[in-house]
Amino acid sequence: MRELYRAVWRVSGREQVFLVVLALLVAGLASVPLRFQQLAINGLVEHPDARALAWNCAGFVGAILLSAALKFVLGLRLSLVGERVVRLIRERLYTNLVDDVARDPAAAAQRGRILAMLNAEAELVGSFAGAAVASPLLQVGTLASVIAFIAASQPLLGLLALVVVLPQAGIVVALQHRINERVRSRVQSLRDVSDRIGGGDLARIDDAVLADFQNVLETRRAIFGLKLSSKFALGALSAFGKLGILFLGGWFVLRGATDVGTVVASLTGLSRIEGPWRDLVAFYRMASTVRVKYAMLLPAIASRS
């Protein structure tokens, strides 16, 4: 993974700095709407005032719109950086193939494998470059911002939110290693198919190609099973977390240890955590997959000079 990030920094270091700044701004805004929601609800319960309600609602909407605008700019820049790196990888693959064939005409037999790399593999590895730093920073920052807000409002509710998140991380890490092994097997099977079709005799059916197709199917089936099992476990933990905040928060309200606005904002915050956490899990899985594919792609894109 370290080598992958070194490569990303070499080709897009300057752009990554700007993306990091945008990600930090968006993450910092994550808890602001929760604060305005908390103030609005508590104001209605304790000291009803139409002007205060209007200001809190305006602040709530303003924070959401500002965050959405920054996310738009961030998403656009992430995509553009990724596409530039995809183009760079494809140019390197193509020029290296031409150079190899010029030195050794037998290298043309690798054309099918290079075509496979030019398409799906280059697309995935290159697109990762845009999200490599800013995306996980955005998601982790958002999680930290929301959990910190909940903890500042009611420490035990913040601790409960943290307890919900940590086991989810353990589940994802445990299952991803098994997924990576299957990803490596799938990529190798597809490359073998490309080699056989590109350099083989198409006058007859090649049983090895059909066997590779079957292996790809079985591998994908195993990956689907692992991902869906992880999704079920994460969903169950999230549901128990909401139940815990509702029950514990309600109990605190009955004892006068907190207010209704804090409980509602905490529930909203836990729901808001689900999106960033889901994106963070998706990024971790993508990063693990890209690490495997980059290691397999590196010999073909390494400079010949």
Side-chain angles (χ1 to χ4, degrees), residues 238-280:
S238 178
F240 281 117
K242 291 177 182 176
L243 175 63
I245 284 185
L246 183 60
F247 178 80
L248 189 60
W251 185 61
F252 285 155
V253 170
L254 292 175
R255 295 188 59 190
T258 192
D259 50 68
V260 175
T262 295
V263 176
V264 174
S266 297
L267 281 171
T268 304
L270 197 60
S271 297
R272 184 160 293 180
I273 285 174
E274 290 179 358
W277 178 244
R278 185 169 54 248
D279 292 342
L280 188 61

Side-chain angles (χ1 to χ4, degrees), residues 218-234:
E218 297 296 334
T219 302
R220 291 290 285 175
R221 180 183 298 167
I223 291 174
F224 290 151
L226 290 169
K227 287 185 176 181
L228 290 173
S229 298
S230 173
K231 186 176 181 179
F232 172 80
L234 299 184

Side-chain angles (χ1 to χ4, degrees), residues 138-165:
L138 170 62
Q139 311 313 334
V140 171
T142 300
L143 289 171
S145 178
V146 172
I147 292 177
F149 167 78
I150 297 174
S153 301
Q154 171 48 251
L156 288 179
L157 294 183
L159 178 61
L160 179 59
L162 189 62
V163 168
V164 170
V165 169

Side-chain angles (χ1 to χ4, degrees), residues 13-300:
R14 186 173 299 175
E15 293 92 338
Q16 294 296 338
V17 174
F18 179 71
L19 294 176
V20 165
V21 173
L22 282 177
L24 290 174
L25 289 173
V26 175
L29 284 170
S31 62
V32 176
L34 299 177
R35 177 58 177 167
F36 282 114
Q37 181 186 51
Q38 181 188 44
L39 292 173
I41 293 174
N42 286 338
L44 290 174
V45 174
E46 299 169 1
H47 306 289
D49 180 69
R51 180 176 297 181
L53 176 62
W55 277 112
N56 286 325
C57 289
F60 178 83
V61 173
I64 290 177
L65 292 179
L66 177 58
S67 178
L70 290 174
K71 283 181 180 178
F72 172 80
V73 177
L74 176 61
L76 181 62
R77 294 297 293 266
L78 285 175
S79 300
L80 291 176
V81 170
E83 284 304 311
R84 283 197 290 269
V85 177
V86 170
R87 183 190 63 187
L88 179 63
I89 292 174
R90 286 172 173 161
E91 288 175 351
R92 184 69 63 81
L93 283 168
Y94 175 69
T95 55
N96 283 350
L97 175 62
V98 172
D99 291 342
D100 289 345
V101 172
R103 287 194 295 265
D104 181 10
Q110 298 293 318
R111 187 175 300 172
R113 173 171 294 206
I114 297 298
L115 287 174
M117 295 180 190
L118 281 170
N119 293 314
E121 293 181 45
E123 188 80 26
L124 180 62
V125 174
S127 297
F128 172 79
V133 179
S135 182
L137 184 63
L138 170 62
Q139 311 313 334
V140 171
T142 300
L143 289 171
S145 178
V146 172
I147 292 177
F149 167 78
I150 297 174
S153 301
Q154 171 48 251
L156 288 179
L157 294 183
L159 178 61
L160 179 59
L162 189 62
V163 168
V164 170
V165 169
L166 292 180
Q168 296 183 25
I171 291 172
V172 172
V173 172
L175 291 180
Q176 189 59 44
H177 177 69
R178 298 172 63 185
I179 293 175
N180 288 348
E181 294 175 350
R182 288 157 177 79
V183 167
R184 187 179 292 106
S185 173
R186 175 177 174 272
V187 171
Q188 188 59 54
S189 294
L190 290 175
R191 286 187 178 185
D192 290 344
V193 167
S194 297
D195 284 346
R196 292 187 178 103
I197 292 178
D201 180 11
L202 295 182
R204 61 181 182 82
I205 298 295
D206 189 340
D207 291 337
V209 171
L210 299 181
D212 283 330
F213 288 157
Q214 181 63 29
N215 183 59
V216 170
L217 171 63
E218 297 296 334
T219 302
R220 291 290 285 175
R221 180 183 298 167
I223 291 174
F224 290 151
L226 290 169
K227 287 185 176 181
L228 290 173
S229 298
S230 173
K231 186 176 181 179
F232 172 80
L234 299 184
L237 284 172
S238 178
F240 281 117
K242 291 177 182 176
L243 175 63
I245 284 185
L246 183 60
F247 178 80
L248 189 60
W251 185 61
F252 285 155
V253 170
L254 292 175
R255 295 188 59 190
T258 192
D259 50 68
V260 175
T262 295
V263 176
V264 174
S266 297
L267 281 171
T268 304
L270 197 60
S271 297
R272 184 160 293 180
I273 285 174
E274 290 179 358
W277 178 244
R278 185 169 54 248
D279 292 342
L280 188 61
V281 169
F283 173 82
Y284 175 73
R285 287 173 172 164
M286 180 178 71
S288 297
T289 300
V290 168
R291 179 177 60 82
V292 172
K293 292 192 175 183
Y294 177 73
M296 301 177 75
L297 194 63
L298 186 57

